[in-house]
Amino acid sequence: MDAVDAERSVPFTTMFNFRDLGGLPARDGRHVRRRRLYRSDSPHRIDGADLESFAALGVRTVIDLRRPAEVERDGRVPELPRLAYRHIHPEHVDWSVTLYQPGTDLARYLADRYAALAETGAAGLAEAVGLIADATNAPVLVHCVAGKDRTGVVCGLTLAALGVPDADIAADYALSAEGLERFQAWYAGAGGVLGLPPLTTPAAAMTLFLAELRERYGSVEDYLRQSGLTDRQLAALRDHLLD
């Protein structure tokens, strides 16, 4: 993790993939504003000092991308004054239907899963980006279970619409591998057996996903428009998230 990445990382003891997307560069010379948009794994475990640290960030809106069954199983972010909770489930096929085969191209496998999510979950993804575009919702936290796949797609689309270069979007996405390692270590230490496939987050997966989305829809903005986002929302996104 370089100095910029370290500055964006926010440490917690029971949340392992939490970071600020602020500081990333846009092509027009501006940068994503700090302390406006965060991404993470599920915050349902936080309490005590972690909860105090989270409250100090002043997050106004939590966007939970998990399946309803995952929310029912684990619970949601603790309630805090002036914190709005929005549950959005982008429709997608369970990954168990198409399991990763060890030895095959992991980046290709992940990009295909993200493309499928972008197709079936378009309305939910656009709704999430629309909430991020509304300045009155900020600061916003976007999360799923591990904070790498569904969260990665929403954040990737958001950053692309802001004009952040694909290489920087992919580099941020790849940071989730470190968060997952921390989560696995914590979970094993707590006596648990992680029921997730041994997947990481190769930067090439996000690069492939974004490139192929543009091939199909013309641009990320055109994909978001076709999914329900308006030009006014896209302009609002840039107005309050770029400095």
Side-chain angles (χ1 to χ4, degrees):
M1 182 179 294
D2 61 28
V4 175
D5 294 333
E7 187 176 352
R8 293 195 294 112
S9 177
V10 182
F12 290 92
T13 59
T14 56
M15 204 161 30
F16 308 94
N17 197 18
F18 192 106
R19 58 187 177 276
D20 184 356
L21 291 177
L24 292 173
R27 290 188 181 88
D28 63 2
R30 292 185 289 174
H31 291 77
V32 180
R33 290 181 63 186
R34 296 186 184 277
R35 296 180 290 279
R36 301 289 284 180
L37 178 59
Y38 299 97
R39 60 177 294 173
S40 77
D41 51 318
S42 178
H44 68 273
R45 292 179 296 269
I46 60 173
D47 60 8
D50 271 358
L51 187 56
E52 291 179 8
S53 296
F54 179 75
L57 294 175
V59 172
R60 290 183 184 175
T61 308
V62 170
I63 301 174
D64 183 346
L65 302 171
R66 295 174 297 167
R67 294 178 182 275
E70 292 169 331
V71 178
E72 183 177 356
R73 179 191 68 198
D74 295 330
R76 47 154 284 182
V77 63
E79 294 188 16
L80 288 169
R82 295 176 295 281
L83 177 67
Y85 172 77
R86 300 295 295 269
H87 178 227
I88 299 173
H89 171 222
E91 296 289 340
H92 58 288
V93 175
D94 194 298
W95 284 28
S96 62
V97 175
T98 309
L99 292 173
Y100 171 66
Q101 300 301 316
T104 60
D105 187 339
L106 176 57
R108 177 73 270 163
Y109 170 81
L110 290 168
D112 288 344
R113 302 287 74 70
Y114 301 161
L117 170 61
E119 181 176 354
T120 61
L125 297 176
E127 182 183 356
V129 177
L131 287 173
I132 295 168
D134 186 341
T136 64
N137 292 327
V140 172
L141 168 65
V142 182
H143 80 87
C144 51
V145 174
K148 64 187 184 74
D149 298 314
R150 290 163 287 191
T151 298
V153 169
V154 167
C155 292
L157 294 171
T158 300
L159 293 172
L162 290 171
V164 175
D166 286 3
D168 293 292
I169 298 172
D172 173 77
Y173 163 82
L175 291 176
S176 288
E178 300 176 17
L180 186 57
E181 288 179 1
R182 289 192 290 271
F183 174 63
Q184 289 173 318
W186 172 84
Y187 200 69
V193 178
L194 194 61
L196 292 173
L199 299 183
T200 183
T201 51
M206 182 56 62
T207 302
L208 274 171
F209 165 65
L210 292 173
E212 292 171 357
L213 192 77
R214 293 189 184 97
E215 289 177 6
R216 180 169 183 181
Y217 293 95
S219 69
V220 170
E221 292 87 344
D222 284 341
Y223 164 76
L224 289 170
R225 290 186 187 99
Q226 291 183 44
S227 302
L229 216 64
T230 67
D231 286 332
R232 179 175 294 182
Q233 286 175 303
L234 286 169
L237 183 75
R238 300 185 187 102
D239 284 346
H240 92 86
L241 276 179
L242 291 175
D243 60 16

